[in-house]
């Protein structure tokens, strides 16, 4: 009996969409760093440094940012609920943490964090998130509109599965971009329709540019289904004005586009004259309700709070019919449920200790130290870029990132072209 000795799968026979997309945080720079690390392990002293610090991702705790005490105390108690009934708990944990953990544990069917939950997340925690959105925006939010997810990335991928039917479906997405969007659009078989942010206008979004891109895409036979807006901007660090947000919403409403609002950096603001306003809040302020426009907003505990590895996030889905939400639930159920630690953390982020709570002063102090650290490091980098020859950089307004421009000499450009 003969056997086929050929590999069952090769780089040539995998899903071609996987080969097409690029994801820069896992690109050539990371591979080079890993090669250097292997060289250091195999031949100590061979390189003029002892350690490699990985900065390919926004990953604050790897760079020494401490976690928030209240978050970790509640997580510890939820994972070890027997501690709640021990006398030592009052000496080790704050009364606020004990009270919150007890409330969360009682909201879980199994009274333990090791079981499955609803595929959308624990109902009580979704209500906490909805209440937090209501308090933030001044407009009502419903638990049934909330999907707790394994970070914002999982929510974005889920929506792409819902929106994209074939390569003839397009998604408007900004350039410079957060590469998750182009990657997920390609992976799910759609077509990215890029629109350019305007560097000379502080990386602002010009509606006439978006209209031009939309019209070109439609002329090419694409059905453009949604528009991605990242505010505060990643990787460009701008914060949109309300006027700009109103223009975007009016554009999406008129063109029948789903508004995909990436708002994961809403806590990271540095410009004194800029404030965060969610797209849903601006839409409701304009008088648009769920019948007028479909909006999906994303948030997570990764960047605002540095708890990246916990994979806690949510999406709020508004302006979708119930039968569409049923289909979103069906897709969400493929992964059974989001991880419970992430669910707990996003609920804590949306309902942190308030003035008068025992944990408030420590929580507020720790959070302000994180913000100050982000701001200090970002401003240090901004100053460094601005002082470099052949480099210019817009001022940072929010998020964590700067996007400098390199002014290359004509000789360098010619040399690169010849290669």
């Amino acid at each position: 009996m003969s056997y086929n000795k050929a590999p069952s799968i090769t780089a040539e026979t995998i899903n071609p969409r996987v080969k097409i997309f690029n994801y820069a945080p896992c690109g050539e720079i990371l591979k080079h760093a890993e090669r250097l690390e292997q060289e250091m392990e195999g031949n100590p002293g061979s390189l003029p440094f002892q350690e490699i610090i990985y900065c390919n991702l926004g990953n604050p705790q790897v760079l020494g940012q401490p976690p928030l005490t209240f978050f970790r105390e509640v997580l510890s108690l939820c994972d070890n609920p027997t501690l709640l009934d021990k006398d030592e708990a009052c000496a080790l944990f704050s009364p606020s943490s004990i009270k919150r953990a007890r409330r969360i544990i009682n909201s879980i069917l199994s009274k333990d964090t090791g079981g499955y939950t609803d595929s959308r997340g624990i109902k009580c925690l979704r209500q906490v998130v909805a209440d937090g959105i209501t308090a933030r925006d001044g407009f009502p939010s419903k638990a049934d509109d909330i999907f707790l997810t394994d970070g914002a990335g999982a929510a974005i991928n889920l929506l792409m599965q819902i929106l994209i039917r074939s390569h003839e479906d397009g998604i408007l997405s900004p350039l410079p971009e957060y590469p998750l969007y182009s990657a997920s659009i390609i992976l799910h078989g759609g077509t990215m329709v890029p629109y350019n942010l305007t560097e000379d206008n502080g990386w602002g979004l010009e509606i006439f540019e978006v209209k031009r891109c939309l019209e070109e895409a439609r002329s090419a036979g694409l059905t453009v289904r949604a528009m991605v807006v990242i505010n505060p901007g990643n990787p460009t660090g701008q914060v949109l004005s309300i006027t700009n947000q109103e223009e975007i919403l009016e554009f999406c409403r008129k063109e029948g586009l789903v508004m995909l609002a990436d708002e994961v950096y809403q806590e990271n603001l540095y410009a004194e004259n800029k404030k965060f306003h969610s797209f849903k809040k601006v839409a409701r302020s304009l008088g648009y309700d769920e019948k007028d426009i479909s909006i999906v907003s994303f948030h997570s505990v990764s960047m605002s709070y540095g708890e990246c590895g916990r994979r806690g996030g949510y999406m709020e889905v508004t302006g979708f019919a119930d039968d569409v939400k049923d289909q979103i639930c069906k897709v969400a159920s493929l992964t059974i449920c989001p991880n419970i630690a992430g669910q707990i953390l996003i609920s804590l982020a949306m309902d942190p200790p308030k003035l008068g709570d025992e944990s408030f002063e420590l929580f507020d102090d720790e959070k302000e130290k994180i913000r100050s650290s982000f701001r200090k490091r970002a401003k240090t980098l901004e100053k460094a870029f601005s002082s470099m020859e052949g480099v210019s950089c817009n001022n940072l307004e929010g998020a964590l990132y700067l996007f400098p421009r390199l002014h290359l000499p004509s000789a360098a450009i010619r040399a690169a072209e010849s290669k």
Side-chain angles (χ1 to χ4, degrees):
M1 184 176 182
S2 62
Y3 293 92
N4 182 4
K5 295 182 180 180
S8 300
I9 187 168
T10 67
E12 287 70 37
T13 60
I14 64 173
N15 183 343
R17 295 173 189 160
V18 174
K19 294 191 289 183
I20 292 172
F21 82 78
N22 293 305
Y23 188 60
C26 297
E28 290 303 317
I29 293 177
L30 176 62
K31 292 177 183 177
H32 183 60
E34 290 171 342
R35 286 194 293 269
L36 291 175
E37 199 161 57
Q38 288 177 358
E39 183 176 340
M40 289 165 60
E41 292 174 358
N43 189 9
S46 60
L47 297 174
F49 44 83
Q50 303 300 317
E51 181 186 9
I52 293 174
I53 299 173
Y54 285 83
C55 297
N56 56 303
L57 292 170
N59 199 9
Q61 289 189 13
V62 169
L63 300 179
Q65 177 188 305
L68 291 161
T69 301
F70 177 72
F71 283 7
R72 291 304 180 88
E73 285 189 353
V74 175
L75 282 178
S76 297
L77 289 164
C78 287
D79 277 341
N80 298 277
T82 56
L83 294 176
L84 290 167
D85 298 318
K86 294 184 180 296
D87 294 337
E88 298 93 323
C90 293
L92 294 171
F93 302 98
S94 73
S96 294
S97 298
I98 293 172
K99 182 179 179 181
R100 184 69 63 90
R102 197 180 297 279
R103 187 198 311 169
I104 291 171
I105 285 295
N106 287 335
S107 72
I108 301 174
L109 282 176
S110 61
K111 300 295 187 288
D112 190 86
T113 57
Y116 289 137
T117 73
D118 186 294
S119 60
R120 294 170 296 174
I122 298 166
K123 178 68 178 286
C124 177
L125 300 186
R126 286 189 283 125
Q127 186 62 58
V128 169
V129 171
D131 291 343
I133 294 171
T134 301
R136 182 195 68 194
D137 292 348
F139 292 95
S141 175
K142 299 177 294 186
D144 286 345
D145 291 341
I146 304 299
F147 289 74
L148 304 185
T149 57
D150 289 333
I156 291 163
N157 269 297
L158 194 161
L159 255 292
M160 293 304 173
Q161 292 178 68
I162 296 295
L163 288 167
I164 294 171
R165 299 164 297 184
S166 74
H167 70 278
E168 294 179 350
D169 283 334
I171 308 291
L172 282 159
S173 192
L175 290 179
E177 68 146 349
Y178 173 44
L180 170 63
Y181 287 99
S182 59
S184 61
I185 291 166
I186 293 169
L187 187 60
H188 295 299
T191 300
M192 177 178 169
V193 180
Y195 65 87
N196 293 297
L197 301 176
T198 306
E199 183 175 9
D200 292 336
N201 188 28
W203 294 116
L205 190 158
E206 306 284 1
I207 285 296
F208 68 83
E209 160 68 7
V210 185
K211 286 181 178 178
R212 180 188 66 79
C213 296
L214 175 66
E215 290 167 1
E216 286 185 359
R218 285 174 172 170
S219 297
L222 293 178
T223 300
V224 180
R225 309 209 71 199
M227 178 178 176
V228 174
V229 180
I230 307 173
N231 181 50
N234 174 8
T236 44
Q238 84 284 8
V239 179
L240 297 177
S241 67
I242 288 184
T243 301
N244 208 181
Q245 290 182 270
E246 290 174 345
E247 293 176 329
I248 295 164
L249 287 162
E250 181 67 16
F251 171 75
C252 288
R253 187 182 70 86
K254 285 183 176 179
E255 300 295 344
L257 303 176
V258 177
M259 166 92 254
L260 301 179
D262 185 330
E263 299 175 337
V264 303
Y265 294 96
Q266 59 189 259
E267 298 283 346
N268 304 99
L269 301 177
Y270 312 119
E272 293 182 1
N273 62 333
K274 292 293 183 76
K275 292 184 178 180
F276 169 78
H277 301 279
S278 75
F279 270 96
K280 195 188 91 171
K281 173 186 175 181
V282 176
R284 299 296 181 263
S285 299
L286 288 170
Y288 299 153
D289 60 21
E290 296 208 19
K291 296 177 182 177
D292 298 310
I293 186 169
S294 300
I295 302 173
V296 184
S297 59
F298 308 102
H299 192 23
S300 79
V301 295
S302 293
M303 297 310 160
S304 296
Y305 300 95
E307 294 281 10
C308 311
R310 297 292 179 169
R311 310 311 301 137
Y314 75 76
M315 63 178 179
E316 183 185 26
V317 179
T318 61
F320 287 65
D322 288 341
D323 55 355
V324 176
K325 287 184 185 177
D326 289 343
Q327 297 302 312
I328 297 175
C329 289
K330 183 171 72 175
V331 176
S333 69
L334 290 175
T335 55
I336 309 298
C337 69
N339 81 87
I340 292 186
Q343 293 186 49
I344 292 170
L345 271 180
I346 194 64
S347 77
L348 300 179
M350 296 304 290
D351 184 22
K354 306 293 193 301
L355 185 63
D357 292 342
E358 298 88 346
S359 299
F360 174 76
E361 288 188 10
L362 178 60
F363 178 85
D364 193 54
D365 179 63
E366 290 177 339
K367 188 175 178 182
E368 183 52 39
K369 284 179 179 176
I370 291 173
R371 283 179 177 170
S372 297
S373 176
F374 282 158
R375 186 185 302 111
K376 180 181 178 182
R377 283 181 280 177
K379 290 297 181 182
T380 299
L381 196 56
E382 180 184 304
K383 183 178 179 180
F385 278 137
S386 299
S387 68
M388 293 173 67
E389 181 181 354
V391 178
S392 63
C393 189
N394 283 333
N395 294 333
L396 181 75
E397 295 179 341
L400 299 180
Y401 309 107
L402 292 154
F403 202 83
R405 173 188 284 188
L406 307 182
H407 302 272
L408 298 177
S410 56
I413 294 173
R414 288 195 299 272
E417 289 173 343
S418 71
K419 294 291 185 181

